[in-house]
Amino acid sequence: MKTVCVIPLVLALVWPGVAPAQVSAQRADSLEREVRSLRARIDSLEVLVQRLARQGRDTAAPADELAALRAAARAAAQRSDTARAPAGQAPAFVDRGRNLNQLNPEISVASDIRFHATREQPLQDNVELREFEFSFQSALDPFSSTKIFASFEEGDIEIEEAYAYWTALPGRLRLDLGRFRQQMGELNRWHSHALPESEYPLVLREFGGEEGLIGNGLGLYWIVPAGGGAHGTHELWAQVTLADNEPLFDAGNRPALLGHLNNYWQLGPSAFVQVGGTAMYGENPDADLKTRLLGLDVRFTWRPPARALYRSFTLRGEGYQLRRDAAGAVQTRYGAYASAQYQLGRRWYAGARYDYVELTPDTRQWIVTPHLTWWQSEWVYLRAEWQRQAVPVLPGLVDHSDRFVIQAVWAIGPHKHEIY
């Protein structure tokens, strides 16, 4: 193949018609640089042509190298995915995949520190290392995953959650097995550092324990296949756990059953509403105790798509009835909360919550909690909170107290402030 020299052609196209006297020095320098660049490209092409000619390659019709690479990859895959098996036996599959999660789970840490002051003791016990939560998450195999949450709180390490779950089971089911926060209403499932306030609602702490309701057992989750659109989306949880919760079952050792139905409707591009119901039942024969818990939760959220980063509003509430039958003596108590939160800007949220619970059928406690939250970034937020509460001391006598709280929360790792 003959090399075509393009330099004379370029010079003939550029220089004719342009008198040397009319060309400025700057234009001449530019044309000279362009000619040098073309000369260098021609030299490189000559070297490439000579190399291909020595290899006997057809430079006029280059081969389809991509198709050849694909064919080679298919042949290599067939050789590597099957291992040689003895005669009469099916070839065994050999997994050549490389999954770093097999050795390195996703690790995250969330820190929650609070500074507070009360009117009675303004300069005492002002710092609380609320919690340091360590999260370990990983895909165990293509069919199951695991989540483990360990919290360091008040000098002790506690396993808050540790469960494996299987998805895509027959019938569109998901199976959870281990220790997990139970689906009682909406906020009980959330981790404390992701709550819209600094603490769980009073009714969840009073009926389920200081950290809410946590159970050891198994759970099934199912999305109802019918629905969608105006008919809504409907989810069902069924959980069987050990009835060892102190407030509900007096630390029993029999199974307890919990069911939760959540119904979700999209009201438009900017708003949705969800309504859920919870029912739980368990027994403790050693204490001759039967416990039933019924709950209703409601949430409305408004977030306009055009300003989703700057404006939103959420209104939520939960109410519960707790009925305990101890040796024929029936006691029924009620509790509820209602909260609202409005987004003032991209980083500012203001809200308030009202808690109410019956400690006994004759004594009641309530708390009002206004708060202001500033999200410094996705990883860090600061919250200022005022808690005004009324605590019964004696029948007919109520003690009012105030507490001011500054909360600092930050997180590292891939799961920033994961709700659950």
Side-chain angles (χ1 to χ4, degrees):
M1 173 179 152
K2 296 182 180 180
T3 304
V4 180
C5 183
V6 298
I7 295 179
L9 179 60
V10 172
L11 294 176
L13 292 175
V14 174
W15 289 99
V18 181
Q22 297 176 349
V23 180
S24 64
Q26 182 178 2
R27 179 64 173 168
D29 294 341
S30 176
L31 291 174
E32 184 179 354
R33 286 194 298 270
E34 187 174 353
V35 169
R36 287 198 300 266
S37 176
L38 290 172
R39 183 184 293 113
R41 294 180 62 185
I42 291 172
D43 293 342
S44 63
L45 288 173
E46 288 179 348
V47 173
L48 179 60
V49 170
Q50 293 174 3
R51 183 184 308 163
L52 294 176
R54 288 195 299 267
Q55 296 176 358
R57 298 274 297 273
D58 183 4
T59 58
D64 190 350
E65 297 185 1
L66 181 58
L69 288 174
R70 287 175 175 170
R74 286 194 295 267
Q78 293 175 359
R79 290 194 302 268
S80 61
D81 288 346
T82 57
R84 295 184 180 273
Q89 295 184 11
F93 178 78
V94 179
D95 184 10
R96 303 295 184 183
R98 294 184 178 181
N99 184 359
L100 292 179
N101 282 339
Q102 293 178 356
L103 299 177
N104 300 316
E106 297 178 350
I107 301 176
S108 303
V109 181
S111 305
D112 184 354
I113 296 181
R114 305 176 190 180
F115 305 88
H116 51 81
T118 61
R119 181 178 300 176
E120 294 77 12
Q121 298 177 336
L123 299 178
Q124 298 183 29
D125 299 329
N126 300 104
V127 180
E128 178 186 5
L129 301 181
R130 172 69 175 82
E131 183 183 46
F132 296 96
E133 182 184 85
F134 300 85
S135 166
F136 305 88
Q137 304 187 37
S138 178
L140 300 175
D141 51 42
F143 314 102
S144 60
S145 301
T146 185
K147 292 186 177 183
I148 301 175
F149 299 93
S151 63
F152 179 78
E153 185 176 353
E154 297 181 355
D156 296 326
I157 296 179
E158 180 182 357
I159 301 300
E160 183 176 358
E161 292 189 276
Y163 63 95
Y165 60 94
W166 289 259
T167 58
L169 296 178
R172 302 163 57 97
L173 288 173
R174 163 178 161 164
L175 171 65
D176 297 353
L177 182 62
R179 178 177 177 84
F180 45 81
R181 302 193 64 87
Q182 294 192 249
Q183 194 65 50
M184 183 176 73
E186 182 184 14
L187 290 186
N188 182 78
R189 189 71 182 91
W190 293 25
H191 292 177
S192 60
H193 57 83
L195 292 171
E197 292 82 23
S198 65
E199 295 180 344
Y200 288 101
L202 182 61
V203 63
L204 299 185
R205 288 180 281 151
E206 185 65 26
F207 288 176
E210 189 62 28
E211 298 296 331
L213 182 61
I214 302 175
N216 303 322
L218 62 88
L220 290 175
Y221 168 73
W222 182 55
I223 298 180
V224 179
H231 300 285
T233 301
H234 311 282
E235 304 168 305
L236 181 64
W237 284 264
Q239 298 174 344
V240 181
T241 57
L242 183 65
D244 58 352
N245 183 274
E246 181 67 32
L248 290 177
F249 309 109
D250 291 347
N253 56 6
R254 301 297 177 90
L257 305 177
L258 182 144
H260 178 83
L261 175 64
N262 186 64
N263 308 279
Y264 171 95
W265 293 275
Q266 188 75 34
L267 303 181
S270 302
F272 71 84
V273 63
Q274 67 180 33
V275 180
T278 303
M280 188 173 188
Y281 179 81
E283 298 182 0
N284 183 356
D286 296 335
D288 196 10
L289 174 66
K290 298 178 181 179
T291 302
R292 185 192 68 186
L293 177 71
L294 299 177
L296 176 68
D297 59 274
V298 180
R299 173 179 175 177
F300 169 80
T301 294
W302 169 80
R303 182 180 291 108
R307 305 202 67 195
L309 293 177
Y310 303 93
R311 289 290 181 269
S312 65
F313 173 73
T314 296
L315 179 67
R316 62 164 54 91
E318 298 183 36
Y320 293 92
Q321 180 200 64
L322 175 61
R323 183 178 183 272
R324 286 165 49 97
D325 183 350
V330 179
Q331 182 186 75
T332 303
R333 299 160 56 194
Y334 296 88
Y337 78 86
S339 69
Q341 180 172 269
Y342 182 75
Q343 185 177 358
L344 303 173
R346 185 163 184 171
R347 303 183 184 278
W348 291 93
Y349 295 80
R353 188 180 75 198
Y354 174 76
D355 292 283
Y356 167 87
V357 70
E358 293 181 350
L359 303 180
T360 67
D362 300 324
T363 59
R364 298 166 179 82
Q365 180 180 354
W366 57 261
I367 303 177
V368 176
T369 310
H371 54 86
L372 181 66
T373 304
W374 176 56
W375 280 85
Q376 175 180 315
S377 65
E378 181 186 358
W379 301 271
V380 182
Y381 73 79
L382 303 174
R383 175 178 292 138
E385 189 175 87
W386 175 52
Q387 300 174 358
R388 170 74 172 178
Q389 63 177 323
V391 181
V393 180
L394 297 173
L397 179 61
V398 178
D399 179 31
H400 294 86
S401 62
D402 297 278
R403 186 170 75 148
F404 182 73
V405 179
I406 297 292
Q407 182 184 21
V409 177
W410 65 91
I412 59 176
H415 304 281
K416 305 294 188 298
H417 306 293
E418 186 180 37
I419 295 177
Y420 54 83

